Amino acid sequence: MPSHTSKAVTAIYPGSFDPVTSGHLDLIGRAATIFDRLIVAVARNLEKDPLFEVKERIEMLEAVTFEWKNVEIDSFDGLLVDFARSNGGTVILRGIRAVSDYEYELQMAMMNRKIEPQIETVFMLPGEAYSYISSRLVKELARLGGPVKGLVPPLVEERLRAKVG
Ligand code: PNS
């Protein structure tokens, strides 16, 4: 096959998404223009005490990614590389906000490569306006009555208010 022949690439964007933030959404938008198919994969059974059920996280993700026709939402149990393999994914996408994210991400990428060398991890940067946002801090802010406007999509803001407000 000539080296310039392209083939459709499916990327898997895994995470807790408890809940999806504006930073996640920014990254999804960027990745949707690069990859042919992007599966946002919500990890089940990670956190002992999540704020949102997996079903709710999926609903919110589906609503806020509606405009991208090549973006799908799913969930997974077990090993990420197994999920990627069984869905035709050849790329694992992760966002890096700051240098502090890198060490954990590097370890995870190397471990995934060790168990499945055919799958590449690709790191992307969210817009700088989102570089300090995390689901954990958004939840903390919401629980303490702080403003989360702009940190999460409006729908998630509403759901957070209904949950902890
Ligand atoms: O948003 P998060 O919580 O940082 O996402 C972490 C996630 C879900 C990507 C990671 O914990 C994961 O891939 N879990 C699935 C289990 C797995 O495959 N572990 C081996 C990776 S080293």
Side-chain angles (χ1 to χ4, degrees):
M1 190 163 53
S3 59
H4 63 268
T5 302
S6 61
K7 65 176 170 56
V9 176
T10 296
I12 312 293
Y13 180 29
S16 312
F17 302 104
D18 182 34
V20 57
T21 67
S22 302
H24 292 133
L25 203 56
D26 176 82
L27 208 79
I28 291 169
R30 290 171 194 276
T33 67
I34 294 179
F35 301 107
D36 300 287
R37 182 174 170 231
L38 180 68
I39 305 177
V40 181
V42 179
R44 295 181 173 270
N45 305 331
L46 265 191
E47 255 189 272
K48 282 196 197 83
D49 191 19
L51 182 60
F52 291 98
E53 299 295 325
V54 170
K55 189 169 161 281
E56 296 177 292
R57 289 182 244 165
I58 290 176
E59 270 170 22
M60 287 187 275
L61 276 163
E62 280 174 345
V64 300
T65 60
F66 184 73
E67 65 179 283
W68 294 292
K69 298 304 168 212
N70 60 339
V71 175
E72 298 163 34
I73 313 299
D74 205 343
S75 64
F76 73 103
D77 264 322
L79 282 181
L80 172 60
V81 293
D82 288 342
F83 174 82
R85 220 187 280 120
S86 60
N87 285 278
T90 51
V91 168
I92 291 171
L93 171 68
R94 291 286 289 173
I96 295 213
R97 293 163 298 189
V99 176
S100 49
D101 283 338
Y102 182 70
E103 205 167 330
Y104 168 63
E105 295 298 335
L106 175 72
Q107 261 188 335
M108 206 158 60
M110 288 305 185
M111 191 62 85
N112 283 328
R113 178 181 279 172
K114 172 85 185 148
I115 51 183
E116 179 44 276
Q118 303 296 324
I119 296 178
E120 287 295 338
T121 295
V122 170
F123 295 129
M124 287 182 68
L125 312 176
E128 60 190 42
Y130 307 109
S131 62
Y132 61 96
I133 303 176
S134 70
S135 297
R136 186 179 62 80
L137 286 183
V138 164
K139 283 185 282 190
E140 187 170 313
L141 205 59
R143 281 189 180 115
L144 298 172
V148 297
K149 193 173 169 55
L151 304 180
V152 290
L155 167 82
V156 177
E157 194 184 334
E158 269 169 44
R159 296 289 193 95
L160 271 168
R161 215 177 294 124
K163 191 71 98 172
V164 300

